[in-house]
Amino acid sequence: MTADVYIEEPEPVVFEIYYRSRLAALYRKLDVILGTGKFCHVVCVVPGKYTPAHSPDAFDDALQKYGPVEVGRFVPEFNQLTVGTRITKDKVELKLPSSVPGSAYILGG
């Protein structure tokens, strides 16, 4: 798995950025990232001039099944970025997507 953005210093953190990808595979990605002791932020492009495959709200709804997580938003027209919740192993309880009703598509991919 390749991270979209990986920052090593001052502490390891990964940013997963979603725009046109229809298969999010969040369970697999979070499992790998958190399993290696890194933190993670999920950021989605906001609908507007660009049309993302999924809305940030769909990612929020899916990740809420794992814990109190809000995805970050990127608004290209204004070059505005919010990073959302820092996802840590302590903050979320990863469950197989097949056991999470209604969110299997984004979580499983």
Side-chain angles (χ1 to χ4, degrees):
M1 186 190 84
T2 303
D4 293 322
V5 176
Y6 175 57
I7 300 171
E8 289 186 52
E9 302 276 334
E11 58 189 346
V13 63
V14 174
F15 286 83
E16 283 297 315
I17 303 176
Y18 288 94
Y19 167 49
R20 298 299 296 162
S21 174
R22 292 213 167 269
L23 301 176
L26 281 176
Y27 172 83
R28 181 180 58 83
K29 290 180 179 182
L30 289 175
D31 190 42
V32 169
I33 292 165
L34 300 178
T36 60
K38 296 173 180 66
F39 303 110
C40 181
H41 292 274
V42 175
V43 177
C44 297
V45 172
V46 172
K49 180 179 177 184
Y50 302 95
T51 306
H54 303 290
S55 72
D57 292 339
F59 281 88
D60 278 338
D61 291 344
L63 285 170
Q64 286 292 311
K65 308 292 193 238
Y66 289 158
V69 175
E70 181 179 322
V71 302
R73 269 83 168 151
F74 177 60
V75 184
E77 294 89 346
F78 301 108
N79 204 27
Q80 180 182 16
L81 172 72
T82 59
V83 295
T85 304
R86 173 178 253 177
I87 303 170
T88 66
K89 202 170 202 166
D90 297 334
K91 186 171 283 282
V92 296
E93 180 186 345
L94 294 181
K95 304 170 200 156
L96 288 172
S98 58
S99 68
V100 179
S103 300
Y105 186 74
I106 288 177
L107 295 176

